[in-house]
Amino acid sequence: MDGLTLSVPLSGLAALVVAWMTIGAIDRSDTGSERMRQIAAAIQQGAMAFLNREYRVLVVFVLAVALLIVAVGLSTAAMDWRTGIAFLIGAAFSVAAGWIGMRVATRANVRTAQAARHGLVAALGMAFSGGSVMGLAVVGLGLLGVSVLFLLLGVDGVERGIINGFALGASSIALFARVGGGIYTKAADVGADLVGKVEAGIPEDDPRNPAVIADNVGDNVGDVAGMGADLFESYVGSIVATMALAVLLPQVDVALAVLPLLVAASGVIASILGVVAVRAVGGSDPARALRMGTLLAGGLTLVFVALISLLIYQTWVYFLATVAGLIAGIAIGLITEYYTSNDYAPVRSIAAQSATGPATNIIAGIAVGMRSTAWPILVIGAATLAAYYIGQRAGDQGLFCIALAAVGMLSITGMTVAVDAYGPIADNAGGIAEMAHLEPEVRRITDRLDAVGNTTAAIGKGFAIGSAALTALALFAAYTAAVRLDAVSLTDPNLIVGLFLGGMLPFLFSAMTMEAVGRAASSMIEEVRRQFRSIPGLMEGTAPPDYARCVSISTAAALREMLVPGLMAVIVPLLVGFVLGKAALGGLLAGALVTGVLLAVFMANAGGAWDNAKKYIEVGNLGSKGSDIHKATVVGDTVGDPFKDTSGPSLNILIKLMSIVALVFAPLFAERSGLLGAALEQARLLARVLVMGSG
């Protein structure tokens, strides 16, 4: 077993080596004309400046939380102070993954535009290479971090909850990256669309639009760094939760703590082979090439896990649990594609109903989003039941196998993130082609890649939501085992209060992030309007806009608005646990899981459907650009932007972060009834003494 355990960090290192080699190949590629390089430099400078400023803000938060954990660990035997060190490492690895992915994406965009001058196959290869760096960095750093901690600390590091700190660090960075990136990108996108496309009547990515650079920057900070951080913490969280259950549940063999690491390592190797296959095959059909790579990675993972389950653990149980999770992830992705792709009826129905104006467009989009929640929930429920009963047949290992299903779903995260991050690179390439006035054929190629990227992005969001549900469920199971919450009783008033609070939080969180986008977008809209009014020759193309001012507005707004929602996810579970007790905190996690997953599916799919309904019109169906029906779909798409790129995706991290906060601090809640419960108990005893004394 020791040799196998050592192979896990080597798998993580292999992913990082392939990513490093890919970075070298990208950097050696042609960057095109001087004008293309200038535009790309502006996008990269804006993106990296935002990321660096965001990380400087987060340093204060990370150090404060680490010191809190260390202080608590030193003052009580219930927690280990080394959890704070693991927290710092997890945060640092999450930051590193985001920084690497962002740097490469903003260098691959101009090279993709230049490659498109040589054809579709070359452009696909360059865009996907850029995305694969993000995917391999996520799984490489995640697996390397967890496995090295396990090798250094052993099972004791899992039993004492030290490794949980690594997951908490990853989750903390992920929430701020998702919220901050989402606010940034949607402030720029809404300003660019409403003033540029609707009011001024200029095309998308027109260099006369002052918000166009900020919009392209936003694609990277939201859909590359944000999505990467989201799946990094899901990936780490699922592994850590499964390891925790292996040692928290007495009926599970401690040796099973190694199993999730082996499954994850199998997925990393399979993802590397899937990435290589996409690059090697290429072809004239980008969607087919990406789908083939994903299916190859999934199939190889199943083969590897079957060998691990049968040869090492001598049972098919763990293989079948992994299959349940992986099939569920693929199914949720396909369901998401159905509800968000303009090849299918839901999106086309939204486009058709836009003929009567923006109101009916919005009504139709909301209905599609709500309807789209049914099948993903059924799939998640089926995967949960299948994994549970498979585990029960192996000797009361149901909860462990549910967590293992989450690891199975996330085992091909390297490939999933690669496919997802390819989209914004292709989108940026199209923007550079437009602003640099390249040949029309170049824009047609990048638009084709971008259209596939929109679908892969929607599938990626569905995958992220499904994985969040199973990961949060696994973390919830680990929390209940850690605090010995054997039964969840609806007759417990504390638990009922926790349920209601948890059910409310996703709605409050979504409102806060939506309002943040609205405020930031209002500032952007006023600035774009001001420049159109006050810069002579801007509309004629003889004077350049002030791109830097719009980038600065989005950056400042995102950093200012992300703090309160992010802090809420950490503070509320701690308050509920200390004041109302472990049962109420369990109720909080359960309530947030149910409403958070449903709301996330609704918002992500409604937003994606609105977006593709607009694109369906723009390619000449039912109307054309500039028509009344097109304007109606632009309004719907603008409403859907914060749905699909800010609030919806951030909910995934909210429910996972609250769960991992509860798990890390679980030792402090295990023997407590909460401050309120303790006060009521003291009051009851006092009343009893008084009654006995008067008698």
Side-chain angles (χ1 to χ4, degrees):
M1 187 64 76
D2 290 342
L4 287 170
T5 307
L6 185 61
S7 70
V8 175
L10 292 178
S11 300
L13 282 174
L16 295 177
V17 168
V18 174
W20 177 74
M21 294 171 61
T22 304
I23 291 171
I26 291 171
D27 286 345
R28 290 190 296 271
S29 301
D30 189 2
T31 55
S33 66
E34 180 62 27
R35 173 62 178 161
M36 293 168 66
R37 288 193 290 272
Q38 290 174 351
I39 296 167
I43 294 172
Q44 183 174 39
Q45 289 168 7
M48 299 310 295
F50 168 79
L51 207 61
N52 291 334
R53 286 179 62 180
E54 181 181 52
Y55 289 159
R56 284 199 296 269
V57 172
L58 292 182
V59 163
V60 178
F61 167 78
V62 168
L63 290 177
V65 174
L67 289 173
L68 172 64
I69 295 172
V70 170
V72 172
L74 292 174
S75 61
T76 175
M79 284 182 64
D80 194 306
W81 67 270
R82 291 174 293 177
T83 306
I85 305 301
F87 169 81
L88 285 176
I89 297 171
F93 275 43
S94 181
V95 164
W99 191 90
I100 292 169
M102 180 80 86
R103 179 189 177 278
V104 174
T106 53
R107 295 174 72 85
N109 53 14
V110 66
R111 291 163 170 83
T112 299
Q114 177 63 14
R117 305 176 88 171
H118 303 288
L120 177 65
V121 174
L124 170 63
M126 183 57 64
F128 181 72
S129 292
S132 68
V133 171
M134 181 81 235
L136 295 176
V138 164
V139 296
L141 288 169
L143 188 58
L144 184 65
V146 176
S147 59
V148 168
L149 283 174
F150 182 73
L151 285 172
L152 292 175
L153 301 171
V155 174
D156 183 62
V158 182
E159 292 177 328
R160 296 187 61 81
I162 300 171
I163 292 179
N164 298 343
F166 185 90
L168 178 60
S171 293
S172 300
I173 295 298
L175 184 62
F176 286 107
R178 250 311 186 192
V179 173
I183 293 170
Y184 184 109
T185 185
K186 292 305 105 181
D189 199 5
V190 170
D193 280 358
L194 284 185
V195 183
K197 292 166 68 174
V198 176
E199 295 180 8
I202 60 178
E204 187 171 7
D205 294 320
D206 193 298
R208 294 171 294 176
N209 193 327
V212 70
I213 294 294
D215 190 13
N216 280 276
V217 170
D219 290 336
N220 292 287
V221 300
D223 291 335
V224 177
M227 172 60 81
D230 184 350
L231 286 174
F232 179 87
E233 67 104 17
S234 275
Y235 184 72
V236 169
S238 66
I239 296 171
V240 167
T242 311
M243 295 173 73
L245 281 173
V247 299
L248 284 170
L249 300 182
Q251 68 273 25
V252 178
D253 189 341
V254 171
L256 288 180
V258 180
L259 178 58
L261 293 172
L262 296 176
V263 172
S266 300
V268 168
I269 300 301
S271 293
I272 292 173
L273 296 174
V275 165
V276 171
V278 172
R279 293 182 195 164
V281 174
S284 58
D285 186 348
R288 179 177 175 275
L290 297 174
R291 190 179 300 115
M292 182 208 69
T294 303
L295 292 176
L296 176 64
L300 289 174
T301 299
L302 291 181
V303 171
F304 295 153
V305 174
L307 294 174
I308 291 169
S309 182
L310 188 61
L311 299 180
I312 299 174
Y313 294 92
Q314 299 181 345
T315 177
W316 286 103
V317 166
Y318 307 125
F319 167 71
L320 295 175
T322 305
V323 169
L326 193 55
I327 290 177
I330 294 171
I332 291 172
L334 295 175
I335 293 166
T336 304
E337 181 179 7
Y338 172 75
Y339 281 105
T340 58
S341 171
N342 54 24
D343 291 332
Y344 302 105
V347 168
R348 295 187 178 188
S349 70
I350 296 173
Q353 293 190 54
S354 304
T356 49
T360 48
N361 169 280
I362 292 170
I363 291 170
I366 290 174
V368 166
M370 289 181 170
R371 184 181 294 274
S372 72
T373 61
W375 281 108
I377 295 301
L378 291 175
V379 169
I380 292 169
T384 301
L385 288 175
Y388 181 81
Y389 286 113
I390 287 169
Q392 289 300 97
R393 291 180 64 86
D396 201 22
Q397 297 181 7
L399 293 178
F400 175 82
C401 283
I402 290 174
L404 190 62
V407 177
M409 181 183 286
L410 287 155
S411 58
I412 57 169
T413 293
M415 190 68 198
T416 304
V417 175
V419 170
D420 189 76
Y422 133 94
I425 294 173
D427 191 8
N428 265 204
I432 292 170
E434 183 76 28
M435 288 182 276
H437 305 294
L438 299 184
E439 308 88 283
E441 178 61 23
V442 173
R443 185 60 197 252
R444 280 194 290 271
I445 288 174
T446 59
D447 281 350
R448 184 174 176 187
L449 293 176
D450 185 30
V452 175
N454 285 330
T455 301
T456 60
I459 293 172
K461 288 182 176 70
F463 181 85
I465 294 167
S467 66
L470 278 184
T471 301
L473 185 58
L475 290 168
F476 175 76
Y479 165 77
T480 57
V483 298
R484 294 181 292 279
L485 189 64
D486 299 323
V488 176
S489 172
L490 291 179
T491 61
D492 185 338
N494 288 330
L495 186 132
I496 292 173
V497 170
L499 277 173
F500 279 119
L501 290 175
M504 169 272 294
L505 275 179
F507 289 90
L508 177 61
F509 180 86
S510 297
M512 294 169 70
T513 51
M514 294 279 285
E515 289 168 353
V517 170
R519 286 189 293 267
S522 295
S523 300
M524 183 66 71
I525 288 169
E526 291 304 317
E527 175 60 23
V528 175
R529 286 173 175 167
R530 183 195 67 77
Q531 292 196 35
F532 277 130
R533 287 194 310 265
S534 61
I535 299 179
L538 179 56
M539 283 299 293
E540 292 76 19
T542 57
D546 185 357
Y547 297 126
R549 176 62 183 157
C550 292
V551 171
S552 177
I553 287 174
S554 271
T555 300
L559 296 178
R560 182 179 63 251
E561 300 283 2
M562 74 178 185
L563 292 175
V564 175
L567 291 173
M568 183 178 74
V570 177
I571 294 172
V572 170
L574 294 177
L575 284 176
V576 170
F578 280 116
V579 176
L580 296 178
K582 62 183 183 182
L585 181 52
L588 180 88
L589 300 181
L593 174 60
V594 172
T595 62
V597 170
L598 285 166
L599 195 57
V601 172
F602 158 65
M603 298 182 90
N605 287 348
W610 272 316
D611 185 11
N612 281 325
K614 178 197 69 174
K615 288 180 168 60
Y616 184 69
I617 300 296
E618 288 177 343
V619 297
N621 298 295
L622 305 177
S624 59
K625 290 184 178 181
S627 63
D628 287 341
I629 189 172
H630 177 244
K631 291 179 180 178
T633 60
V634 170
V635 173
D637 178 39
T638 304
V639 174
D641 272 338
F643 267 50
K644 67 181 175 66
D645 290 326
T646 308
S647 300
S650 298
L651 287 170
N652 306 334
I653 309 173
L654 174 73
I655 59 177
K656 290 177 291 185
L657 178 54
M658 291 198 301
S659 299
I660 195 66
V661 167
L663 180 59
V664 167
F665 289 92
L668 303 183
F669 309 136
E671 304 300 334
R672 296 171 183 262
S673 57
L675 297 178
L676 181 61
L680 292 175
E681 179 63 19
Q682 291 297 322
R684 188 184 68 81
L685 291 174
L686 179 60
R688 184 177 178 184
V689 169
L690 291 174
V691 170
M692 291 176 64
S694 63

